[in-house]
Amino acid sequence: MAKYSLDTIRHSTAHLMAQAISRLWPDENPQFGVGPVIEHGFYYDVKMNHKLTESDLKEIEKLMKKIIKKEKFEVQREVMAKEEAIQFFNGQGQELKIELINSFEEGEEISCYRQGEFIDLCRGPHVENIGQLPMSFKLLNVAGAYWRGDENNEMLQRVYAASFLTKEELANHLKMLEEAKKRDHRKLGKELGLFIFDQVAPASPFFMPKGAHLYNELVEFMRRIYQKFDYKEVITPQILDSELWHTSGHYDHYKENMYFSEIDERQFAVKPMNCPCHMLMFKNHKYSYRDLPLRFADFGRLHRYEKAGAVAGLTRVRTFCQDDAHIFIDLDDIQGEIAKLMEMFFICYKHFGFTNIKVNLSTRPEDKAGDDKTWDIAEDALKQALEKSGHEFFIKEGDGAFYGPKIDVEIADALGRYFQLGTIQLDFQLPERFGLKFTAQDGNEKQPVVIHRALLGSLERFIGIYIEHTGGAFPFWLAPEQAVLIPVNNDNHLDYAREVHALFTKKGFRVRLDDRNESLGYKTRQTQKGKIPFMIVIGDREMENKSLSIRAYGEMKAEDKPLDTVVSEFEKLAEMNIPAELKK
Amino acid sequence: MAKYSLDTIRHSTAHLMAQAISRLWPDENPQFGVGPVIEHGFYYDVKMNHKLTESDLKEIEKLMKKIIKKEKFEVQREVMAKEEAIQFFNGQGQELKIELINSFEEGEEISCYRQGEFIDLCRGPHVENIGQLPMSFKLLNVAGAYWRGDENNEMLQRVYAASFLTKEELANHLKMLEEAKKRDHRKLGKELGLFIFDQVAPASPFFMPKGAHLYNELVEFMRRIYQKFDYKEVITPQILDSELWHTSGHYDHYKENMYFSEIDERQFAVKPMNCPCHMLMFKNHKYSYRDLPLRFADFGRLHRYEKAGAVAGLTRVRTFCQDDAHIFIDLDDIQGEIAKLMEMFFICYKHFGFTNIKVNLSTRPEDKAGDDKTWDIAEDALKQALEKSGHEFFIKEGDGAFYGPKIDVEIADALGRYFQLGTIQLDFQLPERFGLKFTAQDGNEKQPVVIHRALLGSLERFIGIYIEHTGGAFPFWLAPEQAVLIPVNNDNHLDYAREVHALFTKKGFRVRLDDRNESLGYKTRQTQKGKIPFMIVIGDREMENKSLSIRAYGEMKAEDKPLDTVVSEFEKLAEMNIPAELKK
């Protein structure tokens, strides 16, 4: 099997799927769009009237496996001229393929791959024989997808499949998908009462009290980090004259994602980013080298238009808040600051249990502002800083922002899925556009460099990722409800439960007393479902001994502990709202 | 003097001012608009080419006093028919007066008052003789004012005057004005580095780090009160489909003050209020009588359009955040909730040093939603609740919101000026419009009542008022910088000062070490100017004794105290971030 790369295997399996679909619905004349390899497998876009169902997917899979086992077609490469290819696929009724062929250069060689009765336009490479394909694939689901990603085009059926080299890898992946489904933040967000959505505000979450608690605690958490690393929080307007966005360059590079409003015959835009506000604040005061690095942090609400088809849960929204900051710094001090930033990032991520951290350095993109010389300086500064900081990093060519190179930091969640959270972007453009200056030690005016940076990224998106990472079982310091108190029966134990509840509340713990007239079993099941860190049951024995029967979430049984012990254990857990590194 | 009311005195003094202006600039033919009595005095709008200067005001005042002393005109009331009055004022070249007369009903009696050569259109009453007027008035300043308040009309010169019964009252008022000028929050905001404004965002403050600190501390302060009174904070979107504003009634009643934006061919509005979001959240879940009163608090950013001429500093802005909440409640429980609210209000205001508190009950306005019967019920509920709560209150007829009656709470600041801060508004309309229901104890569905309420009102405006109330000398718990540490000289005392600074910082105090190479005198003057609660100087003696030379802001001299004593005093002061009533 090692003869072929996983990509080749996946690609050939995609062809095999198309072949099976063609054979199962010959009267539908299924037309195929694109069928690329993706992370964990592949998909293929199909145009046909029949709507594919879950049981259809099983049929297709069965036929694919039969072809591998019994028919073992050889896969043959054939080359055609462009005109020839168009004629051929026209004969096959594959109009989408013809559209693809039309985008080839005149005179370009067009390769196709044939296996049995099926032939597909393809660059290859492929396995030599379909019989060589492993059975370790599974068709997952069908989703709608616009032809060529354009919502003005027709909607095709996109069939997703998982595909791996071994059955074990496939099984692991399917298990992960199963777990991911259980942890889906949209599902848990509803079940745990964290947030809702409403069609009057598309892609804009309404945080219910428990969700707002998470959100506010994250802000407080970042503020504690900011205090240690000498950031100064500011609060800036949200609606600003388009003139500002022309100055910043956002109008030219970003206006499709911005909301505009006419006020007093002037055009204003709702801010998609905080940066230009911070530039104005820097410009408003005369700063000297003694004030630098100056770090403005801002939890301002941002609005960015995303197409209706692109938004999803909390992870892709139209309104969000970043743990955003801009650092005004002397170019000479960049390396030290990047080292500090990396320290800050690692402290933060590790505190949330993200230990698998990947650092990428993205270089100049095609659509960029500024000249290549400035880009050279910026990219070199980041590279050298990263090398000195000692963290392994990967180069992503051409993936920088239009205004400068950047460092992206990705974390792997509990299911091993990578998400980009943090970003550090160097910017030589904004200080130039806003004419920013500081007084250098020699008395001369010098232009500062600006670093844009965020650790959690968008709080909304982070909450979504973190819900899935924890499965909704939040650590004690962060949990909206830290414990639930349940009297065994209200007649005998409610008074003592109230005393205990008052004590916990006075100590500042978020403990709920469940005094409803429901059965003990019902109440404990509900507490478990709510993923509350601790469940405390109070009955005769507890009243007598001034003790508590306490069970941590995820543990199979309760422990008996003196009330005082529980209080001091809670106090220790609550102190984990500050990373140990910050207490030094 | 007691023969006439203060209003009559002021009104006659206004006529006297107009007479003096007419006599001083006869060739300008000054035309007069309206000249009403206002708090502390009166103004008169004048149309003339000559721009009145400060020295002109002195001239006018001098002539007014001469007329009182020497000319002692009798004031005679004359009545004319409408047509006759128009002819008369036409002859006087008083076109603005003719406009005013034109708005009188046909056949209405038109009264004028004559004093010597001057005659003015007026309803009266007036003093019998100008010689009876007290000299206790002062012309203050001239401001531009559109004729009839309409910006499409011409700009007149509005002459403001203070006017009182006695010279002592006038002197007190002028002293207050002088003090108010010193405390102007726009001036102090700049001097203390709290906030800036920029023309790209009219009437939208940029809070610099120290201002943002005040803002965030106020939010935290309100959260502590919320915790005690069982409020649940939520976070809601800012841009919502106009459909929602039609449902809420804001589109019909408030759209002139709203910002709109087109997105995906739908009309969206930036929220001017949080209420409709909270209605949606209530509707999204099935609540029962056990969940009520349900109190949703929201520090969401709001945007309300105000005309460029109406905005001023932080006190009238286009974007702000309220300490806003909506209480969903059973009509039967209203009185108890209002009592709780009054308790909360008084705790809050007293903590900021506002002890003079005025409560007003505003009843149905002319432009109102809903029928009179519903208004009767709502007004009665508030009245009875206030009566039971035992606070004195005043009725303001017709001053309610369009959706329900309200209680307004005003406070007097340190200069005796009253500002409305708090509001409690009963609303029978929104629950009806959104079709809100809860399950009552008998199992039936019942419509909740909504209470809108805010204590500080807008945080921006409160900060403006509070800056002027304190003159920028904030209490220790709230001050952006709580103390400044100054080594007598950097060569000898800086190391020990650094130790002390590290200790304070570790304890969580906001202490700045002023280690600049400037003279001791310069540094102490700057600390005084910054109105920092404590200035700590460290020299030889302090190093030797492990003590501090500490001077509180406003005190004339420093005290020597052991370091430990200062730390424990600071700890006590910092604990004043929670009102004593909440600690019970």
Side-chain angles (χ1 to χ4, degrees):
Chain A
M1 218 61 80
K3 192 170 173 190
Y4 305 108
S5 75
L6 180 55
D7 273 8
T8 302
I9 298 281
R10 285 173 174 167
H11 204 162
S12 295
T13 312
H15 277 220
L16 175 60
M17 181 174 80
Q19 179 172 27
I21 291 172
S22 299
R23 210 187 272 181
L24 284 168
W25 288 275
D27 301 340
E28 292 271 336
N29 182 37
Q31 282 188 48
F32 296 96
V34 292
V37 167
I38 53 174
E39 211 191 345
H40 313 305
F42 60 85
Y43 69 75
Y44 218 133
D45 288 344
V46 193
K47 178 181 169 184
M48 61 195 279
N49 285 330
H50 172 72
K51 292 270 157 261
L52 290 169
T53 64
E54 244 179 81
S55 68
D56 289 341
L57 295 190
K58 285 201 185 109
E59 276 305 303
I60 299 166
E61 209 175 292
K62 218 165 109 186
L63 179 53
M64 287 166 73
K65 287 181 178 170
K66 200 183 127 214
I67 296 174
I68 294 175
K69 232 171 172 170
K70 303 271 165 91
E71 307 190 31
K72 297 181 197 281
F73 293 118
E74 243 181 82
V75 183
Q76 291 162 310
R77 186 167 188 267
E78 293 176 17
V79 176
M80 308 184 196
K82 188 171 172 180
E83 204 39 56
E84 195 186 350
I86 290 173
Q87 270 186 12
F88 175 80
F89 283 101
N90 200 17
Q92 303 266 321
Q94 293 290 338
E95 287 164 26
L96 303 178
K97 294 290 177 190
I98 293 169
E99 271 195 57
L100 293 176
I101 295 167
N102 276 327
S103 62
F104 280 61
E105 295 286 315
E106 237 16 87
E108 213 177 326
E109 224 178 35
I110 292 178
S111 71
C112 298
Y113 283 81
R114 178 191 294 275
Q115 53 200 70
E117 82 286 1
F118 180 76
I119 187 160
D120 201 349
L121 175 74
C122 188
R123 279 218 169 75
H126 281 278
V127 295
E128 284 161 40
N129 191 297
I130 289 298
Q132 295 169 318
L133 287 175
M135 300 287 192
S136 41
F137 64 86
K138 185 176 168 58
L139 308 198
L140 297 172
N141 62 304
V142 187
Y146 293 110
W147 169 233
R148 309 198 112 176
D150 182 342
E151 58 189 332
N152 298 315
N153 288 341
E154 61 192 321
M155 178 86 87
L156 308 177
Q157 301 184 67
R158 177 167 293 175
V159 185
Y160 282 98
S163 161
F164 292 88
L165 289 178
T166 67
K167 283 194 173 161
E168 203 188 338
E169 285 169 295
L170 176 66
N172 284 341
H173 181 70
L174 295 178
K175 214 172 120 189
M176 191 277 288
L177 287 184
E178 200 52 45
E179 184 58 29
K181 218 169 163 181
K182 271 191 235 157
R183 292 173 178 232
D184 186 324
H185 75 275
R186 290 164 296 187
K187 183 174 150 279
L188 283 176
K190 208 173 162 174
E191 285 172 14
L192 301 176
L194 301 176
F195 55 85
I196 61 168
F197 283 93
D198 191 287
Q199 51 84 21
V200 296
S204 309
F206 292 69
F207 285 100
M208 299 300 288
K210 287 178 189 170
H213 171 85
L214 288 182
Y215 186 105
N216 288 335
E217 279 299 314
L218 288 177
V219 171
E220 288 305 320
F221 177 81
M222 290 314 302
R223 282 182 178 148
R224 288 189 283 271
I225 296 190
Y226 286 174
Q227 207 175 356
K228 185 76 175 182
F229 285 88
D230 197 22
Y231 283 69
K232 294 176 198 316
E233 194 178 329
V234 298
I235 299 170
T236 52
Q238 289 192 336
I239 300 185
L240 302 117
D241 195 309
S242 286
E243 178 198 328
L244 178 71
W245 306 106
H246 280 288
T247 306
S248 68
H250 287 96
Y251 196 91
D252 289 339
H253 290 271
Y254 204 72
K255 73 170 171 298
E256 281 72 24
N257 295 82
M258 288 165 67
Y259 299 120
F260 292 93
S261 190
E262 291 286 325
I263 305 161
D264 289 340
E265 287 162 35
R266 287 162 68 181
Q267 190 192 44
F268 283 77
V270 182
K271 70 175 169 190
M273 299 175 192
N274 294 310
C275 6
C277 293
H278 298 180
M279 301 305 123
L280 288 179
M281 288 171 115
F282 186 88
K283 203 179 163 89
N284 189 270
H285 185 80
K286 225 175 148 44
Y287 292 100
S288 90
Y289 70 97
R290 291 184 62 99
D291 303 307
L292 268 45
L294 180 69
R295 307 176 186 91
F296 282 156
D298 198 327
F299 291 102
R301 180 143 293 276
L302 307 177
H303 288 83
R304 297 183 191 169
Y305 175 73
E306 299 272 357
K307 283 190 179 154
V311 298
L314 291 182
T315 43
R316 195 112 180 231
V317 285
R318 286 183 179 166
T319 173
F320 55 93
C321 158
Q322 293 180 316
D323 59 329
D324 194 19
H326 292 94
I327 303 168
F328 299 85
I329 190 168
D330 189 328
L331 180 57
D332 300 341
D333 300 332
I334 287 271
Q335 292 189 16
E337 188 67 16
I338 300 287
K340 254 187 209 147
L341 281 167
M342 295 312 291
E343 185 193 348
M344 192 177 180
F345 275 54
F346 276 72
I347 288 174
C348 172
Y349 296 152
K350 283 184 177 160
H351 198 70
F352 289 104
F354 300 121
T355 46
N356 227 331
I357 302 171
K358 217 157 92 183
V359 179
N360 305 305
L361 170 59
S362 299
T363 57
R364 71 201 75 181
E366 267 181 50
D367 177 18
K368 67 177 198 292
D371 57 62
D372 278 311
K373 205 185 133 198
T374 313
W375 276 88
D376 287 341
I377 299 171
E379 289 175 2
D380 281 354
L382 285 189
K383 223 175 279 181
Q384 285 177 31
L386 273 184
E387 276 161 9
K388 281 204 181 166
S389 80
H391 297 291
E392 189 195 16
F393 66 96
F394 305 89
I395 305 265
K396 287 166 96 171
E397 295 289 350
D399 218 30
F402 76 83
Y403 46 77
K406 61 178 182 177
I407 294 170
D408 283 336
V409 188
E410 294 175 74
I411 53 87
D413 76 356
L415 302 185
R417 298 171 299 179
Y418 274 92
F419 297 96
Q420 192 223 306
L421 292 186
T423 186
I424 299 171
Q425 311 191 352
L426 218 58
D427 193 339
F428 287 69
Q429 305 299 330
L430 276 184
E432 175 70 34
R433 282 173 170 270
F434 281 87
L436 304 186
K437 298 282 176 210
F438 69 96
T439 310
Q441 195 153 11
D442 61 10
N444 289 325
E445 291 209 318
K446 195 172 173 185
Q447 187 164 295
V449 179
V450 163
I451 301 174
H452 312 246
R453 64 125 215 65
L455 280 73
L456 306 181
S458 125
L459 292 187
E460 280 75 1
R461 183 165 162 276
F462 182 81
I463 291 174
I465 290 169
Y466 194 61
I467 290 172
E468 302 196 0
H469 176 61
T470 58
F474 305 114
F476 186 85
W477 68 271
L478 184 60
E481 286 182 339
Q482 297 173 318
V484 172
L485 264 176
I486 308 177
V488 171
N489 94 47
N490 277 354
D491 291 335
N492 301 333
H493 313 119
L494 187 54
D495 285 345
Y496 179 59
R498 281 195 180 125
E499 265 176 55
V500 174
H501 181 249
L503 174 75
F504 279 128
T505 305
K506 206 180 155 73
K507 293 271 179 192
F509 299 121
R510 300 180 291 277
V511 173
R512 177 164 52 86
L513 173 63
D514 191 348
D515 59 358
R516 293 174 300 169
N517 281 319
E518 304 282 357
S519 75
L520 183 61
Y522 177 79
K523 289 184 185 181
T524 55
R525 276 194 306 279
Q526 281 226 323
T527 307
Q528 286 295 307
K529 250 181 102 179
K531 309 194 178 205
I532 316 293
F534 291 101
M535 176 164 73
I536 298 171
V537 175
I538 289 179
D540 287 336
R541 201 180 44 185
E542 288 75 22
M543 269 177 70
E544 208 167 298
N545 301 344
K546 298 278 166 200
S547 69
L548 298 174
S549 164
I550 183 166
R551 180 172 154 197
Y553 180 74
E555 295 295 325
M556 293 310 289
K557 61 191 195 94
E559 285 184 88
D560 278 310
K561 287 186 184 178
L563 181 52
D564 291 352
T565 308
V566 174
V567 168
S568 64
E569 284 179 5
F570 276 14
E571 276 166 352
K572 274 208 192 84
L573 286 171
E575 275 171 23
M576 290 179 64
N577 65 350
I578 307 174
E581 294 90 337
L582 298 190
K583 289 180 187 162
K584 279 173 200 161
Chain B
M1 218 60 80
K3 190 171 175 188
Y4 304 108
S5 74
L6 179 56
D7 272 7
T8 302
I9 297 280
R10 284 174 173 167
H11 203 165
S12 296
T13 313
H15 277 218
L16 175 61
M17 181 173 82
Q19 180 173 29
I21 292 173
S22 299
R23 211 187 270 180
L24 285 168
W25 289 276
D27 300 341
E28 293 271 339
N29 182 35
Q31 283 188 48
F32 296 96
V34 292
V37 167
I38 53 173
E39 211 190 347
H40 312 306
F42 59 86
Y43 67 75
Y44 218 133
D45 287 345
V46 193
K47 178 182 171 183
M48 60 196 281
N49 286 330
H50 172 71
K51 291 272 157 261
L52 291 169
T53 64
E54 244 180 80
S55 69
D56 289 341
L57 295 190
K58 284 200 185 106
E59 276 307 303
I60 299 166
E61 208 175 292
K62 217 166 111 187
L63 178 54
M64 287 167 72
K65 287 182 178 168
K66 199 183 128 217
I67 296 174
I68 294 175
K69 230 172 174 169
K70 303 272 166 87
E71 306 190 30
K72 294 180 197 282
F73 294 119
E74 246 182 77
V75 182
Q76 291 163 311
R77 184 165 189 268
E78 292 177 15
V79 175
M80 308 184 195
K82 189 171 172 181
E83 203 40 57
E84 194 186 350
I86 290 174
Q87 269 185 13
F88 175 81
F89 282 101
N90 200 18
Q92 303 266 320
Q94 293 291 337
E95 286 165 26
L96 301 179
K97 294 288 176 192
I98 293 169
E99 270 196 57
L100 293 177
I101 295 167
N102 276 329
S103 62
F104 280 63
E105 294 288 316
E106 236 18 87
E108 213 178 324
E109 225 179 32
I110 293 180
S111 72
C112 297
Y113 283 82
R114 178 190 294 278
Q115 54 199 74
E117 83 284 3
F118 181 76
I119 188 161
D120 201 347
L121 173 76
C122 189
R123 279 220 168 75
H126 280 279
V127 295
E128 284 161 40
N129 191 296
I130 289 296
Q132 295 168 320
L133 287 175
M135 301 287 193
S136 43
F137 63 86
K138 184 173 169 58
L139 308 198
L140 298 172
N141 64 301
V142 187
Y146 292 110
W147 169 233
R148 309 197 111 178
D150 182 342
E151 59 188 332
N152 298 315
N153 288 341
E154 61 192 320
M155 179 85 88
L156 308 176
Q157 301 185 67
R158 178 166 294 176
V159 185
Y160 282 98
S163 162
F164 291 89
L165 289 177
T166 68
K167 284 193 173 161
E168 203 188 338
E169 286 169 295
L170 176 66
N172 284 341
H173 181 70
L174 295 178
K175 213 173 120 190
M176 190 279 288
L177 287 184
E178 200 53 44
E179 184 58 29
K181 218 167 162 182
K182 271 192 235 158
R183 292 173 179 232
D184 186 325
H185 75 275
R186 289 165 296 189
K187 183 174 150 280
L188 283 176
K190 208 173 162 172
E191 285 172 14
L192 301 177
L194 301 176
F195 55 85
I196 61 167
F197 283 92
D198 191 287
Q199 51 84 23
V200 295
S204 308
F206 292 69
F207 285 99
M208 300 298 289
K210 287 179 188 169
H213 171 85
L214 288 182
Y215 187 105
N216 288 336
E217 279 298 313
L218 289 176
V219 170
E220 287 304 320
F221 177 80
M222 290 313 303
R223 282 182 179 150
R224 289 189 283 270
I225 296 190
Y226 286 173
Q227 207 175 356
K228 184 77 176 182
F229 285 88
D230 197 21
Y231 283 69
K232 293 176 199 315
E233 193 177 331
V234 297
I235 299 170
T236 52
Q238 290 193 336
I239 300 185
L240 302 117
D241 195 308
S242 287
E243 179 198 326
L244 178 72
W245 306 105
H246 280 288
T247 306
S248 69
H250 287 95
Y251 196 91
D252 290 338
H253 290 271
Y254 204 72
K255 73 168 170 299
E256 282 72 23
N257 294 81
M258 289 164 67
Y259 300 120
F260 292 94
S261 191
E262 292 284 327
I263 305 161
D264 288 340
E265 287 161 36
R266 286 162 68 180
Q267 190 192 44
F268 284 77
V270 183
K271 70 175 169 191
M273 299 175 193
N274 294 310
C275 6
C277 293
H278 297 180
M279 301 304 124
L280 288 180
M281 288 170 115
F282 186 87
K283 203 179 163 91
N284 189 269
H285 186 79
K286 223 172 151 47
Y287 292 101
S288 91
Y289 70 96
R290 290 184 63 100
D291 302 308
L292 269 45
L294 180 68
R295 307 176 186 93
F296 282 155
D298 198 327
F299 291 103
R301 180 142 293 275
L302 308 178
H303 289 83
R304 297 184 190 168
Y305 174 74
E306 299 272 357
K307 284 190 178 154
V311 298
L314 290 184
T315 44
R316 195 113 179 230
V317 285
R318 286 183 179 167
T319 174
F320 56 93
C321 158
Q322 293 181 318
D323 58 329
D324 194 18
H326 293 93
I327 304 169
F328 299 84
I329 191 169
D330 189 328
L331 181 57
D332 300 340
D333 300 331
I334 287 271
Q335 293 190 13
E337 188 67 16
I338 300 288
K340 253 188 209 146
L341 282 167
M342 295 313 289
E343 185 195 348
M344 192 178 180
F345 275 56
F346 276 71
I347 288 174
C348 172
Y349 296 153
K350 283 184 176 159
H351 198 69
F352 288 105
F354 300 121
T355 46
N356 229 330
I357 301 170
K358 217 157 91 182
V359 179
N360 306 306
L361 171 59
S362 299
T363 57
R364 71 199 78 181
E366 267 181 51
D367 178 16
K368 67 178 198 291
D371 57 63
D372 279 309
K373 207 185 133 201
T374 312
W375 276 87
D376 287 342
I377 298 172
E379 289 175 4
D380 281 355
L382 284 190
K383 225 176 277 179
Q384 285 176 32
L386 273 183
E387 275 161 9
K388 281 205 179 163
S389 81
H391 297 290
E392 189 194 17
F393 65 97
F394 304 90
I395 305 264
K396 286 168 96 171
E397 296 288 349
D399 218 30
F402 77 82
Y403 46 78
K406 60 177 181 178
I407 294 170
D408 283 336
V409 188
E410 293 175 76
I411 54 87
D413 76 355
L415 302 183
R417 298 171 300 179
Y418 274 91
F419 296 96
Q420 191 223 306
L421 291 187
T423 187
I424 299 171
Q425 311 190 352
L426 219 57
D427 193 337
F428 287 70
Q429 306 299 330
L430 275 185
E432 175 71 33
R433 282 172 170 273
F434 281 87
L436 304 187
K437 298 284 176 211
F438 69 94
T439 310
Q441 195 152 11
D442 61 10
N444 289 326
E445 291 210 317
K446 195 171 171 186
Q447 187 164 294
V449 180
V450 163
I451 302 173
H452 311 246
R453 97 240 171 323
L455 280 74
L456 307 180
S458 125
L459 292 186
E460 280 74 2
R461 184 165 163 275
F462 182 81
I463 290 173
I465 290 169
Y466 193 63
I467 289 172
E468 301 197 359
H469 175 61
T470 56
F474 305 113
F476 187 84
W477 68 270
L478 185 60
E481 286 182 338
Q482 298 174 316
V484 172
L485 263 176
I486 309 176
V488 170
N489 93 49
N490 277 353
D491 290 336
N492 301 333
H493 312 120
L494 187 54
D495 285 344
Y496 179 58
R498 282 198 180 123
E499 265 176 53
V500 175
H501 181 248
L503 174 75
F504 280 128
T505 305
K506 205 181 154 72
K507 294 270 179 193
F509 300 121
R510 299 180 291 278
V511 173
R512 176 163 51 85
L513 173 64
D514 191 348
D515 59 358
R516 292 173 300 169
N517 281 318
E518 303 282 357
S519 75
L520 183 61
Y522 177 79
K523 289 184 185 180
T524 56
R525 278 194 306 280
Q526 280 225 324
T527 306
Q528 286 295 306
K529 251 181 100 177
K531 311 197 176 201
I532 316 293
F534 291 101
M535 176 164 71
I536 298 171
V537 175
I538 289 178
D540 287 337
R541 201 180 43 184
E542 288 75 22
M543 268 177 70
E544 208 167 297
N545 302 342
K546 298 280 165 200
S547 69
L548 299 174
S549 165
I550 183 165
R551 181 173 153 195
Y553 180 74
E555 295 295 325
M556 293 308 290
K557 60 189 194 93
E559 286 184 87
D560 279 311
K561 288 186 183 175
L563 180 54
D564 291 352
T565 308
V566 174
V567 168
S568 63
E569 283 179 7
F570 276 15
E571 276 166 352
K572 274 208 191 83
L573 285 170
E575 276 170 21
M576 290 180 65
N577 64 350
I578 307 175
E581 294 91 336
L582 298 191
K583 288 178 188 163
K584 280 171 200 161

